[in-house]
Amino acid sequence: MPNIGDSKCILVVGATAGIGRALAKSLKALPSKPKVIVTGRRQERLNELAKEGFETAMVNIDTDRAGLKQFVDSIVSKYPEVDAVIFSAGIQHEFDFTKPETVDLDKLVSELNTNYTAIVTMITYFLPHFLKVASKGQPCFIVPITSGLGIVPGPWVPCYSATKAALHSYSISLNEQLRGTGVHVMEIMPPLVESELHDHQGKTPVLSKVWMPLDEYTKHEVDGLLRGDTFIPIGQTADNFEKFEKGKDEIARGSFKFIQSLNSS
């Protein structure tokens, strides 16, 4: 089974903090010694990672299609050997719809773009390169990082949960469409994990009592990537995946084959 250990060059989008940074460091330490490119919005953190031997690129993915196209083109041009991309960037806001006047629609749109639309856009722009590389025998990998809240939503973060559910659904469909091309989709599905994601909400002291330590999470994450698992649910998310999601991809595969047979008849 192809797995991330087969990669020669891995791009980690959103790697200046939290799970993205920890994952990038673990990937760089793999015995296969892939080149790891890290991106983020904070240049000072990218500078720190550059000192550790990472390739770096500054980008804010909450931008328009032209900006994302320019970013993808620049990566492919500078690193033609890139064969894997991991989408770790994400933002999370709380919205209270019982007080609709407090809902900041600009934040909501930004969350939707960062967590879903921009990722699908970048995947679309990366795919011609990946399909070409895969056609020559080098396996390629698209790795969205979703969330357990994409399976069982958190009503306090309704938009975040919806974006992760959308990305999870898209990942299933993308995996089916790319079956047999040599481009593999592996979806990482974290539980509540130690990170900076919640700092702006002021809940870190409370959440730190119940979240999964980052080191423990990262080990499970990398183990799944090295197995080549299509789905990598971790911690409580693994329980919810077993209860609500197991077998959904097989049903989707059957539906897709049926539609394909209709289109070819």
Side-chain angles (χ1 to χ4, degrees):
M1 176 71 68
N3 64 76
I4 206 70
D6 299 318
S7 292
K8 297 177 181 179
C9 183
I10 305 169
L11 172 69
V12 184
V13 178
T16 55
I19 63 177
R21 185 184 181 110
L23 177 56
K25 290 187 175 185
S26 293
L27 294 174
K28 191 172 184 298
L30 289 175
S32 55
K33 299 297 180 184
K35 180 181 292 184
V36 179
I37 312 159
V38 295
T39 80
R41 295 177 291 111
R42 291 170 282 194
Q43 186 63 55
E44 68 279 4
R45 293 202 174 184
L46 290 173
N47 292 341
E48 293 171 3
L49 288 165
K51 292 177 182 178
E52 298 180 32
F54 289 93
E55 300 288 323
T56 66
M58 187 170 70
V59 66
N60 180 0
I61 68 170
D62 186 13
T63 187
D64 58 19
R65 288 196 300 273
L68 294 173
K69 182 70 162 59
Q70 183 179 30
F71 166 69
V72 172
D73 287 348
S74 69
I75 292 294
V76 171
S77 176
K78 187 174 181 180
Y79 307 100
E81 72 275 30
V82 65
D83 53 22
V85 58
I86 299 172
F87 294 99
S88 182
I91 55 176
Q92 184 184 95
H93 296 296
E94 294 187 1
F95 296 110
D96 183 355
F97 285 90
T98 68
K99 301 174 182 177
E101 69 279 1
T102 69
V103 174
D104 187 329
L105 292 176
D106 288 334
K107 285 185 176 180
L108 189 151
V109 170
S110 175
E111 190 171 47
L112 174 61
N113 190 46
T114 302
N115 295 356
Y116 180 71
T117 308
I119 293 174
V120 174
T121 300
M122 285 188 285
I123 289 172
T124 304
Y125 290 146
F126 269 117
L127 270 172
H129 170 74
F130 282 168
L131 289 167
K132 182 178 179 181
V133 171
S135 71
K136 297 177 181 179
Q138 173 62 32
C140 293
F141 302 92
I142 295 171
V143 186
I145 298 182
T146 59
S147 170
L149 295 179
I151 299 175
V152 179
W156 60 97
V157 283
C159 184
Y160 178 85
S161 300
T163 62
K164 294 300 185 177
L167 189 57
H168 169 55
S169 177
Y170 170 77
S171 298
I172 294 173
S173 297
L174 183 66
N175 185 57
E176 292 306 320
Q177 288 197 12
L178 294 177
R179 188 173 297 277
T181 66
V183 181
H184 307 273
V185 180
M186 294 190 289
E187 179 187 354
I188 299 171
M189 310 173 79
L192 177 63
V193 180
E194 175 186 358
S195 76
E196 298 177 10
L197 181 67
H198 315 282
D199 286 358
H200 70 284
Q201 298 169 347
K203 289 185 167 56
T204 298
V206 174
L207 295 178
S208 65
K209 298 176 182 178
V210 295
W211 64 26
M212 177 179 284
L214 183 57
D215 288 347
E216 179 184 351
Y217 161 79
T218 304
K219 181 183 183 306
H220 289 297
E221 180 181 41
V222 173
D223 286 348
L225 290 172
L226 290 175
R227 288 192 301 265
D229 293 350
T230 301
F231 303 104
I232 308 171
I234 299 167
Q236 179 61 45
T237 302
D239 296 335
N240 289 337
F241 183 87
E242 183 75 17
K243 185 175 182 180
F244 299 112
E245 296 292 318
K246 190 173 182 181
K248 182 181 288 186
D249 60 324
E250 295 177 3
I251 298 172
R253 186 176 311 144
S255 299
F256 187 42
K257 288 181 178 179
F258 175 68
I259 294 297
Q260 286 178 312
S261 69
L262 292 180
N263 291 338
S264 62
S265 61

